[in-house]
Amino acid sequence: MSLKHRHPIRKKIADGIIKQVEEELGCSIPIGGIVESAEFEGIKILLVDGSAVIIFLKDKPFLSLYGINKYKPEKRYATVDRGAVKFVVSGANVMAPGIIDADGDIKKGDIVWVRNEEGTALALGYALMDGEEMVAENKGKAIESVHHIGDELWELATNL
């Protein structure tokens, strides 16, 4: 597990990306030092003060699970019940019956984060339904999982 193409990026560029993430997720990301760009397993990431805080999914910046648990965003979440947690942290897609709450502003195709009932981030993925539909629906896949606790990106972020 190693980072490739790691280099500092201009403050103006970093500020623009971080501002976009803050607005989309409803959180504040203070920058104390260096912001670096790097690549891990083909995924572009931003390191803020040495931590893998932002990842790019289909060229869109979003907080990594490490970043979500650190900065506590208030938007783009889906909450799963206790029965779904073990499947979500194993990398399974999130099924609609396991979702007990979701941000009503989520649109199909959005990047979303999945949390347990206590609010801890478990996974990131793409919404396959709108937020309200996720809660109302009793069958089908609601979120396609792309990053979860325990995967290689999580291990990298928690061991930098």
Side-chain angles (χ1 to χ4, degrees):
M1 290 197 307
S2 66
L3 291 173
K4 294 180 180 172
H5 314 294
R6 184 173 177 171
H7 61 274
I9 61 171
R10 289 191 173 106
K11 182 173 177 8
K12 189 175 181 179
I13 294 169
D15 288 349
I17 293 168
I18 289 169
K19 186 174 191 265
Q20 181 183 349
V21 171
E22 288 175 334
E23 288 173 3
E24 282 192 28
L25 292 172
C27 63
S28 176
I29 305 168
I31 305 171
I34 297 172
V35 178
E36 299 169 282
S37 175
E39 194 176 290
F40 177 74
E41 303 288 328
I43 298 171
K44 182 179 170 187
I45 61 175
L46 280 191
L47 304 165
V48 177
D49 299 328
S51 298
V53 171
I54 294 174
I55 66 172
F56 287 78
L57 299 171
K58 295 183 182 170
D59 292 327
K60 292 189 83 171
F62 202 85
L63 285 174
S64 66
L65 288 173
Y66 177 84
I68 288 168
N69 285 326
K70 184 170 183 170
Y71 300 116
K72 312 284 187 227
E74 297 174 9
K75 298 178 187 173
R76 296 272 191 90
Y77 63 85
T79 308
V80 294
D81 62 26
R82 283 179 173 63
V85 170
K86 67 182 176 194
F87 299 105
V88 174
V89 297
S90 296
N93 291 324
V94 183
M95 306 304 282
I99 297 175
I100 55 174
D101 186 29
D103 180 345
D105 292 334
I106 292 172
K107 299 289 177 242
K108 184 177 178 179
D110 283 349
I111 303 167
V112 298
W113 60 285
V114 182
R115 65 185 186 184
N116 63 14
E117 293 179 57
E118 290 74 37
T120 303
L122 306 173
L124 295 183
Y126 294 105
L128 301 174
M129 308 175 171
D130 292 345
E132 291 174 6
E133 192 182 352
M134 289 179 188
V135 178
E137 204 52 58
N138 289 322
K139 62 183 188 323
K141 267 192 270 187
I143 300 167
E144 178 188 342
S145 184
V146 294
H147 168 37
H148 60 89
I149 285 181
D151 69 10
E152 289 179 343
L153 185 57
W154 171 260
E155 293 300 323
L156 172 82
T158 55
N159 291 307
L160 276 175

